[in-house]
Structures are given as structure tokens and as C-alpha cells.
Amino acid sequence: GDSVTQMEGPVTLSEEAFLTINCTYTATGYPSLFWYVQYPGEGLQLLLKATKADDKGSNKGFEATYRKETTSFHLEKGSVQVSDSAVYFCALSDLILNQAGTALIFGKGTTLSVSS
Amino acid sequence: DADVTQTPRNRITKTGKRIMLECSQTKGHDRMYWYRQDPGLGLRLIYYSFDVKDINKGEISDGYSVSRQAQAKFSLSLESAIPNQTALYFCATSDPGTEGQETQYFGPGTRLLVL
């Protein structure tokens, strides 16, 4: 079945450092891809998404490009801030066969810790 | 006010007890989901519902049941709680939109500890 693999953390960076969190996926169809972020003590919220190959999702300085040839959707940010400390989840939309909709398949999450 | 609310936010219970986690949403979405989050395992789908009359098992439904009381309410029950059901539980909603592109909106989570 479909699956998502993302780099294990924790990732520890200094403020203003460059961030990359790797995400690769396995899917039989053409899923949409998502990055969700979970700040301490909160639920998940959508950070960005891309719905087809070569699309770039971006938000709050974060970017990720849907690469079909490498089945990847790596998250990047040029200069991280302390407030970016959170857990980041890569996910894909999985078409539920015989159902009129999709569900999300999540990676295991990557914890990012940014120090000043 | 939050669009997706969950009650309780924290719960401690004993093995064998029945417990219900509740989720309410004001987004007007037809689709609702229950996930559990375990350290190092990400989120896994327990049950989902695409409308009031539709209930479906997810990846890890054993030991759980759900009730969709109304469009806005989706409850998760543990009929006889066991320690390995200790986890963080999230409710989510989504609107169909364009297939596969829908965004899911999550509640703040319920932290459950089963002793």
C-alpha cells in the first residue's frame, strides 16, 4: 500500500540555519502531498501542499516541491527561527478504493528544535 | 472559537473501563476522522465517516467503535480500555473539494492514559 518515509529526528539547528527535512513516498496513483506542523501542545495544522508533479507548495518561508521522478517532497526553509520548533509530518492523500474520498497517510514525524 | 473541539483534553482511566472521546466541529464539513498518535509512529487512522450515515474502519480499528450523531459530532469509544491504547487521539474534518486535494483540519487532541 501507499506509504510515507521521512527522516528521523530530532533535528537541532541554530537560528537562521538552513533546514531540510526529507520525505519520500510510495504510491500507486498520483497522490497529493502535504506537510503538516504540530506545535507543542497543539493539534496538527496544514503547512503547505502540492497536488501534482512539479508543483511547489510554500507558506511561512517553507517550501516543498513535488518530485515525481524521485518520489520526494522535501521540506526546506532558508532561515529557521526559534518559533519554528515543532514536529513536522509529511503526508499523502490515499484514494480509498470503493469509497468516495481519500484519507491521509502520514510519515512518523520529524522533531525540529531551533535554538537562539 | 476553535473550529474543531475535542473533549476531554486529558483522561486517565483504568484497564477494562469504557471511555468515550467526543469531537465537535463548526466547519460544516461532512467528512470526519479519528487518528491516534504514538511516539515514533506518526498518526494512524482509526475510523472515518464521509457523511452521517457512513462509517468506515481505518487502519487500526480493533478495540474501538464510533458514532456519528450528527454532521457536527463524531465520537470514539473504547469499550474496554487496555494500556496499549494509551496515546494522543486526534479528530479531523475535511470538505470534499477536489478529490485528493482536500485539507484536513485537526482538533487539539485528547491525551489518554490507560493504567
Side-chain angles (χ1 to χ4, degrees), chain B residues 48-90:
Chain B
Y48 61 98
S49 169
F50 285 165
D51 65 45
V52 175
K53 298 180 181 180
D54 176 73
I55 300 289
N56 304 281
K57 293 182 178 180
E59 177 187 355
I60 52 165
S61 59
D62 286 349
Y64 301 95
S65 62
V66 291
S67 173
R68 186 78 185 268
Q69 301 94 323
Q71 185 201 41
K73 295 184 183 298
F74 192 37
S75 300
L76 176 72
S77 293
L78 288 66
E79 296 300 327
S80 179
I82 56 176
N84 76 0
Q85 291 178 312
T86 293
L88 185 55
Y89 291 84
F90 286 106

Side-chain angles (χ1 to χ4, degrees), chain A residues 31-34 36 38 41-46 49 51 87 89 93 95-97 99-109, chain B residues 9 31 33 35 37-38 40-45 48 50 54 56 59 88 90 94 99-109:
Chain A
S32 294
L33 300 173
F34 305 81
Y36 278 81
Q38 182 181 26
E42 299 183 11
L44 280 72
Q45 54 186 275
L46 180 68
K49 71 179 182 182
T51 59
V87 182
F89 293 92
S93 63
L95 179 65
I96 301 174
L97 295 179
Q99 295 290 332
T102 58
L104 289 176
I105 305 295
F106 285 90
K108 294 181 179 182
Chain B
R9 293 294 311 278
R31 298 180 176 182
Y33 311 79
Y35 294 89
Q37 182 182 16
D38 298 277
L41 293 180
L43 278 76
R44 293 178 291 168
L45 184 64
Y48 61 98
F50 285 165
D54 176 73
N56 304 281
E59 177 187 355
L88 185 55
F90 286 106
S94 71
E99 203 62 64
Q101 299 181 20
E102 61 207 63
T103 296
Q104 291 193 10
Y105 298 87
F106 286 79

